[in-house]
Structures are given as C-alpha cells and as structure tokens.
Amino acid sequence: MVSNQEFREDLFYRLHIFPIFLPPLRDRKTDIAGLVTHFVKQFSVSMNKDIRTISDRTMRSMINHSWPGNVRELQNYVARGVILARGTTFDLIPPDKRVTLHAEPTSEKLEDTIRDEILAACHKANWQIGGPRGAAARLGLKRTTLFYKMKRLGISSPAKPS
C-alpha cells in the first residue's frame, strides 16, 4: 500500500515497530468462546446487567459464524446481545440466522424500546447522566450522545422539588 501511495510511509514506519501477524477470527475458532465470555462480562458490568450464562445455542452459532468483521463484529454482536438481554442468560438470535430488516429509524416500537432503556438507566442512576455511575455509563454511551437521544425522544429529568 505504501508503494501504491495508498498508505502514508511515515505512518507505516511508526506503526511497524514490532509486526504482529494475527490470522482472522474465522481461522481461530478456539478463541471465540473466550472472547465472548470476556465481552459479555465487560458489557454486563458497564450496562449494569446481571448476565451469568451464555446459551449453548448462541455460543455454537457464534463459533460457527465466519465473522467477516473479525473481533470488532463479534464485540458489537455481544454488546447488542447484552443491551437486549432481559434475564441472566445471554441468548441472542444466532448471527447466521439474522435477517436484515429495512425498518424506518423512527419505528415506534424501536423508539419505545430505546426510550424504556434510557428511562430505566436514568432511574437506576437517580437521574445522574454523566460520571462512572451515571445513566450514560450504564448504557455504554457518551454523555453527549445520551443527551442527544433524550432530547430527540423528549425525555427530561423529573422536576426537582423546591
């Protein structure tokens, strides 16, 4: 890429201190279970969820999936699963069975779900939005992103008693 002038040569040499060659995730199936377990724990803590187990069906499907987006795709899939989790088990539609839907972003059902999640996080955080124990951290969002979503959905903190 450097010789084709598609990548800056100075940046290449800055990054090329110690080359590490790592095969794609589809060639390292034995790594998937450990990565999934790690990501589930990580996101459970950051989103204040109590997920204790991963369903066998979900784990098998994740191991069998090719993960064209590598570890980042797996990480995003797990984050989505933790967000959607309702109980103590991580159980999400297997990645190879997902259907791409072309839903309108203003879908009432989706907005209702997002609104409910934001309100629940705000209540748990006693309407503190920022900080390590705030609603934004519980949702895995930046404080500014949560403010934007709240404004778009018409969510405001309850009035403080005077």
Side-chain angles (χ1 to χ4, degrees), residues 79-119:
R80 182 173 40 254
V82 171
I83 290 168
L84 297 173
R86 295 288 179 222
T88 60
T89 301
F90 179 84
D91 188 22
L92 191 58
I93 296 170
D96 52 334
K97 302 284 190 226
R98 285 180 292 171
V99 176
T100 303
L101 300 176
H102 299 287
E104 293 295 317
T106 58
S107 165
E108 285 184 37
K109 185 175 180 182
L110 176 59
E111 281 191 354
D112 289 344
T113 302
I114 293 169
R115 182 179 288 107
D116 291 346
E117 288 293 320
I118 290 173
L119 285 169

Side-chain angles (χ1 to χ4, degrees), residues 1-2 44-45 52 57 59 61 87 96 130 133 137 145 160:
M1 289 178 74
V2 170
S44 295
V45 168
R52 298 179 195 148
R57 174 186 72 114
M59 185 62 84
S61 69
D96 52 334
R133 295 176 195 254
T145 303
K160 304 272 186 203

Side-chain angles (χ1 to χ4, degrees), residues 7-72:
F7 196 85
R8 287 183 18 209
E9 185 174 15
D10 63 311
L11 182 56
F12 171 77
Y13 286 112
R14 279 182 186 253
L15 299 173
H16 196 70
I17 296 168
F18 193 89
I20 298 174
F21 300 100
L22 191 62
L25 192 54
R26 69 180 162 272
D27 295 339
R28 298 180 291 127
K29 298 286 188 184
T30 56
D31 292 351
I32 293 174
L35 287 167
V36 169
T37 302
H38 169 74
F39 290 142
V40 167
K41 285 180 186 173
Q42 178 186 31
F43 291 121
S44 295
V45 168
S46 70
M47 295 178 198
N48 201 26
K49 300 257 183 152
D50 184 25
I51 299 177
R52 298 179 195 148
T53 59
I54 301 166
S55 79
D56 291 337
R57 174 186 72 114
T58 300
M59 185 62 84
R60 276 192 311 274
S61 69
M62 288 189 288
I63 290 170
N64 292 328
H65 188 65
S66 66
W67 300 109
N70 275 315
V71 176
R72 180 73 65 184

